[in-house]
Amino acid sequence: LLCGVTNTRAAIDSNLDNAANISVPVGLPLLGGSDASLTISSTQADDFDPGQAGLVLSSPDSLLDLELIEGITIGVLRNGVLVDEATSSNLLVLDLVGLLSSDDRRLVTFETDETYDAIRISLNGAASVLSSLDVYAGCAQTGTLDTVTATQP
C-alpha cells in the first residue's frame, strides 16, 4: 500500500493527544495516485458560516513550517462538493506552543468566503517533501466537526 489514512476516528475524538495519519510516497509522480485525503464534517450543523477553516497538524518526520506544507491542500465542501480550497501559498501556519501537550503541532488555516459543512485535507506525495502528516482535529470558526472519512487510492 503506497498511500493510506489510518486511525481516522482520532481526528474527531475529544483526545487531542492522538491523531489520524495520512501517508504518501514522496516524489513518485510516475506511480500515479500518490495522494490521500481526510474529510472532517459535522452531523450537528447544517452549514458553517464563512470564516476560518483549519486543522491541527504535525509531521512525524519534522517540524511543520511554511516550506514543509508544500503538497498540502485544505478545502471546504458543501454537500460533498468542493466550494473553496487553499494551497501552501494561501495557508496560515500558527504555532501552538504551550497550548497543547506537544510543541510540534500547528494550526493550519485559511479564510473562506464560502458556506461549508466539511473540511478536507489532501497530501500529494509528488508535490510534497512530507511523507506523513498527523491530523489531530478539524476546526471551523462557528461549529464542531464530528464525522470523518478517508480517501485513498
Side-chain angles (χ1 to χ4, degrees):
L1 182 67
L2 294 175
C3 299
V5 181
T6 58
N7 202 21
T8 57
R9 302 238 3 118
I12 59 169
D13 68 13
S14 61
N15 183 351
L16 290 177
D17 287 326
N18 61 30
N21 180 269
I22 303 172
S23 297
V24 296
V26 175
L28 297 174
L30 297 177
L31 292 178
S34 64
D35 54 326
S37 65
L38 184 72
T39 302
I40 303 174
S41 58
S42 175
T43 58
Q44 300 175 11
D46 292 329
D47 292 309
F48 298 116
D49 294 331
Q52 291 290 326
L55 300 122
V56 177
L57 307 173
S58 74
S59 169
D61 303 326
S62 60
L63 207 55
L64 273 181
D65 62 21
L66 288 175
E67 292 176 11
L68 289 182
I69 64 171
E70 290 290 328
I72 294 175
T73 302
I74 297 178
V76 292
L77 299 92
R78 186 168 188 200
N79 299 322
V81 177
L82 183 69
V83 293
D84 196 5
E85 70 179 349
T87 57
S88 59
S89 61
N90 297 349
L91 295 173
L92 176 63
V93 179
L94 300 173
D95 194 341
L96 297 176
V97 171
L99 297 177
L100 298 173
S101 62
S102 175
D103 291 340
D104 63 347
R105 296 182 200 156
R106 303 289 183 259
L107 175 61
V108 180
T109 70
F110 80 102
E111 181 79 23
T112 181
D113 295 327
E114 301 294 330
T115 300
Y116 63 98
D117 59 13
I119 300 172
R120 177 185 300 150
I121 182 167
S122 300
L123 181 60
N124 182 311
S128 179
V129 296
L130 293 174
S131 62
S132 184
L133 190 63
D134 288 336
V135 181
Y136 292 87
C139 48
Q141 187 169 331
T142 59
T144 302
L145 300 157
D146 62 359
T147 304
V148 64
T149 57
T151 305
Q152 51 199 359

